[in-house]
Amino acid sequence: MPHTPYLAAGPDVDGPRRALILAGGGMRVAYQAGALQALDEAGLRFSHADGTSGGILNVAMLCSGLAPHEMAARWRALDVGEFVSFRSVRQYLKGPQMGAMGDADGIRRDVFPHLGIDVPTIRAAEGLDARFNVCNFAQKTNEAIPHPDVTLDHLIAGISLPIFLPAVDIDGTTYTDAVWIQDANLLDAVRNGAQELWVVWIIGNTPVYSDGLFAQYVHMIEMSACGALHRDFARIRAINARILQGERVHGHTEPIRLHLIKPPTPLPLDPAYFFGAIDGASLVNMGYADAKAYLDRMAPDGLPFHPETTQMDTPNPGIRFRETMEGAFALGTTEPEDGAGRGRRDGHTLALHATISIDDIDRFVDDPDHAGRLDAHVDFTPFGEGIPGHRGVFNLFAPSDAPDTKWMVYEVAFRHDGQDYYLAGKKRVRDDPGFDLWSDTTTLYTRLHEGPDASGPVVGAGVLRLGVDDLARLVSTMRATNADTLAAKTRAIGAFGRFFLGELWSQYASQAPT
């Protein structure tokens, strides 16, 4: 049946003709679902959509009729192991001559159905000119397949990265992932009348060149993908220069504008996702937060079509862990203990699912506020589940006005039913009479403010806790990041452990009688 995809610009939508361009990035394109949720909240609508490599999955989900918040929920719930499907023993016995390390059976059987990808529904989409990029291996060219013509084999071919998945035969022609040719088809969007290009880009781009076969395979993808994108940037700069000289180019009489959403530092690679160092929920939350940050600061004329636009910060060794705190919570009160009591009576709970990222452990330890990045989503009984947050704040043992007290701070902004909220929680670390170390470090006294920050009126409160099982899960998710060697990983984890235990010692043992 014909249908209009979410984010499609209808005939009555004002403003420029926009193109949504979702580049690849392996399984990590869960990040894009969070970004799309932020774009949806901002009211952005698109006439053209383009997917390459992993970005194909999210364009296919949109054209299959899913709303961005539904896409985010499906990515959070996806078992990433379903991407992996092994070939027959006979193939592996071929050794270096085998066609690929795995096959696409798991993707066809499990991943596509879980993500809600349905080819007949994609082909019936109206109001959005969507394209799926695949590499025609015979011609060594990219083919942008219009959505009314796409097949399941095209979608599989478009994400079949050489070495990892076998190429796909379609009507006697071999097709594969187009990332080695290009990872974002900007010029196709320009030729189809797009005045604004909205690119979600997650391919890493830092000056650091790493050792190791896998790292250098990733570098090859980065060089191909970024190189092709930057070449398109140069071509569009030339088109804009011609337009400014009064020429009409591809129907354009005004310069084309660029908006690009990216993580501030490179995302963890697919093996980190597969082995649990990061999960789909964290990637979705990061994409949402980064898109919101871009929307908050973006200039009307967009970004320059220059390579520097895709540049990311080079992170130093750090750590990342996931933490879930949950407890009774109620609206209509300002005191956490009172809110906890009311919440228990009414059966209302709030859960904060947070990912804490520390990109430079040495700087973190030296920083008086000991600040890291917090990405989170919130489940709150009266509001619903999977509410993404942004502008997260995390401070570990931040100083307070009292010399015997330090704070562990968790804060995040979110939006529900068109209203801004700000969740502000603190763990109070102080040596009171009795053994209270456990309760101090696992109890978050929380207030919910109406508005974009903690200056707004308090409209709810409660107490969230980290249980024994939750603490065990937290420890199991702790990983060193941006550390290539075992020694570097051990050093990062050790530095964090020494800092954490040292602060606890200074707060508690120093108060003990001698």
Side-chain angles (χ1 to χ4, degrees):
M1 292 290 291
H3 70 100
T4 301
Y6 284 87
L7 301 187
D12 298 328
V13 173
D14 294 328
R17 181 178 172 86
R18 299 187 180 97
L20 175 66
I21 299 172
L22 301 183
M27 300 180 293
R28 302 168 296 162
V29 293
Y31 176 97
Q32 294 174 347
L36 294 183
Q37 199 168 354
L39 298 183
D40 185 25
E41 289 181 5
L44 292 172
R45 295 296 180 262
F46 302 89
S47 301
H48 180 95
D50 177 272
T52 307
S53 195
I56 282 174
L57 298 172
N58 287 310
V59 175
M61 292 172 78
L62 276 176
C63 291
S64 294
L66 277 74
H69 72 273
E70 295 172 319
M71 296 170 61
R74 287 176 181 259
W75 276 110
R76 287 193 181 103
L78 177 67
D79 177 1
V80 71
E82 293 176 348
F83 273 99
V84 178
S85 178
F86 295 104
R87 311 193 76 188
S88 67
V89 174
R90 182 181 300 176
Q91 286 291 326
Y92 294 110
L93 291 177
K94 294 180 179 180
Q97 300 304 314
M98 67 181 177
M101 294 175 64
D103 61 34
D105 290 352
I107 296 173
R108 292 176 185 265
R109 181 184 63 244
D110 300 317
V111 174
F112 277 19
H114 176 89
L115 295 179
I117 295 172
D118 181 75
V119 171
T121 306
I122 294 171
R123 292 165 66 104
E126 297 179 345
L128 182 67
D129 175 26
R131 307 293 177 95
F132 300 91
N133 295 287
V134 293
C135 169
N136 181 321
F137 183 75
Q139 298 181 359
K140 307 300 187 292
T141 57
N142 180 76
E143 290 186 14
I145 309 299
H147 73 273
D149 301 328
V150 78
T151 66
L152 180 60
D153 283 343
H154 285 126
L155 298 180
I156 295 295
I159 60 173
S160 292
L161 191 65
I163 296 180
F164 293 100
L165 291 176
V168 179
D169 181 276
I170 303 176
D171 297 329
T173 299
T174 299
Y175 287 91
T176 189
D177 194 315
V179 69
W180 296 104
I181 298 174
Q182 63 183 85
D183 203 28
N185 199 343
L186 273 62
L187 289 178
D188 192 49
V190 170
R191 286 191 291 265
N192 281 278
Q195 299 162 296
E196 282 188 1
L197 307 179
W198 286 78
V199 181
V200 185
W201 186 261
I202 60 175
I203 295 291
N205 184 13
T206 75
V208 176
Y209 187 82
S210 300
D211 292 332
L213 293 178
F214 181 73
Q216 292 185 16
Y217 181 81
V218 172
H219 287 337
M220 287 189 285
I221 293 176
E222 292 170 347
M223 288 185 285
S224 294
C226 292
L229 180 71
H230 298 160
R231 187 165 57 247
D232 277 359
F233 280 2
R235 290 168 177 166
I236 296 173
R237 285 202 310 271
I239 289 172
N240 282 344
R242 291 164 60 190
I243 291 170
L244 290 173
Q245 293 297 318
E247 188 176 344
R248 186 182 184 95
V249 185
H250 300 305
H252 294 279
T253 58
E254 295 182 0
I256 297 143
R257 295 184 293 276
L258 171 68
H259 297 280
L260 188 140
I261 295 162
K262 64 179 180 183
T265 59
L267 295 177
L269 298 172
D270 278 358
Y273 188 9
F274 182 77
F275 289 109
I278 197 166
D279 63 354
S282 301
L283 291 165
V284 169
N285 296 339
M286 289 175 178
Y288 180 85
D290 291 341
K292 290 284 286 187
Y294 178 76
L295 290 165
D296 286 344
R297 67 173 186 269
M298 72 175 190
D301 291 337
L303 298 167
F305 285 96
H306 285 284
E308 290 77 13
T309 293
T310 63
Q311 195 78 38
M312 299 174 186
D313 295 333
T314 302
N316 291 316
I319 67 164
R320 180 180 293 111
F321 60 88
R322 301 192 294 276
E323 184 172 2
T324 294
M325 292 168 284
E326 185 173 6
F329 201 98
L331 297 171
T333 181
T334 61
E335 296 303 319
E337 293 285 7
D338 180 57
R342 295 191 191 190
R344 284 191 293 270
R345 182 193 65 204
D346 298 335
H348 290 171
T349 61
L350 187 146
L352 178 67
H353 305 273
T355 300
I356 310 299
S357 303
I358 298 167
D359 287 333
D360 186 329
I361 188 64
D362 293 332
R363 185 174 59 191
F364 174 83
V365 171
D366 293 340
D367 176 9
D369 291 325
H370 311 300
R373 170 169 175 163
L374 182 145
D375 295 288
H377 68 274
V378 173
D379 300 336
F380 183 31
T381 309
F383 289 0
E385 296 183 353
I387 305 168
H390 62 108
R391 290 192 290 106
V393 174
F394 172 76
N395 301 108
L396 186 60
F397 302 122
S400 73
D401 294 336
D404 63 342
T405 301
K406 290 188 176 180
W407 298 112
M408 298 168 67
V409 178
Y410 299 73
E411 299 181 357
V412 67
F414 67 90
R415 191 169 180 82
H416 172 68
D417 268 358
Q419 174 63 55
D420 289 322
Y421 293 95
Y422 195 82
L423 188 70
K426 288 183 177 180
K427 297 176 182 178
R428 182 180 57 203
V429 181
R430 183 175 64 187
D431 186 27
D432 298 316
F435 185 76
D436 61 349
L437 183 153
W438 171 261
S439 62
D440 278 5
T441 55
T442 61
T443 304
L444 188 72
Y445 296 93
T446 312
R447 291 179 172 86
L448 182 65
H449 299 261
E450 191 173 84
D453 54 43
S455 66
V458 178
V459 296
V463 179
L464 311 186
R465 288 186 167 84
L466 184 75
V468 175
D469 291 344
D470 299 317
L471 180 60
R473 281 192 289 271
L474 183 158
V475 173
S476 72
T477 67
M478 186 171 290
R479 299 286 194 282
T481 58
N482 311 304
D484 294 333
T485 65
L486 178 60
K489 293 176 182 179
T490 302
R491 181 187 176 281
I493 294 291
F496 181 80
R498 287 191 298 273
F499 166 73
F500 185 83
L501 294 175
E503 287 295 319
L504 289 180
W505 180 265
S506 69
Q507 287 301 110
Y508 292 95
S510 63
Q511 303 296 324
T514 56

